[in-house]
Amino acid sequence: MRRLARTLGVLGGSVLLTLGLTRPANAATGWIHVNGYGIHNPSTGLCINPQFPTGHTSVANGTDSMALVYNCPGCCGPVVSILPPLTSDVAENGFGVFVTSPVGT
């Protein structure tokens, strides 16, 4: 009985560790704010268009991924700013923010 309890305890612990260390597939871990609009664990490959485009796009990248700011809605045209993880910036002529795959994967 003692051996069974120990085996179940080890198995349960390993399941908890496995579930606790995984993250959603195709998602950056953290948050990103674009002109005050926040997204938690954004999908990679996501293009975020500011709700009220003014050409001055404020981006706070609290993810483990890069954020690329484009000068056209829909993340087209040239990149006007590159934000590494855990940085923020106000991009002139920024109209679309693209979330890349997590850094190091």
Side-chain angles (χ1 to χ4, degrees):
M1 187 67 170
R2 195 174 196 176
R3 189 173 187 176
L4 177 63
R6 185 175 179 181
T7 303
L8 289 176
V10 169
L11 235 131
S14 63
V15 167
L16 286 175
L17 281 174
T18 301
L19 292 176
L21 297 177
T22 60
R23 67 172 174 218
N26 298 324
T29 302
W31 48 264
I32 190 163
H33 286 229
V34 178
N35 288 351
Y37 174 72
I39 299 174
H40 183 70
N41 292 337
S43 297
T44 56
L46 175 69
C47 180
I48 305 163
N49 294 311
Q51 290 182 316
F52 305 106
T54 62
H56 303 284
T57 302
S58 171
V59 181
N61 182 13
T63 69
D64 59 351
S65 300
M66 301 285 275
L68 308 176
V69 183
Y70 287 84
N71 77 339
C72 295
C75 298
C76 64
V79 173
V80 295
S81 183
I82 299 172
L83 282 87
L86 307 175
T87 60
S88 61
D89 190 18
V90 176
E92 300 295 322
N93 298 319
F95 289 97
V97 180
F98 183 82
V99 180
T100 67
S101 296
V103 176
T105 59

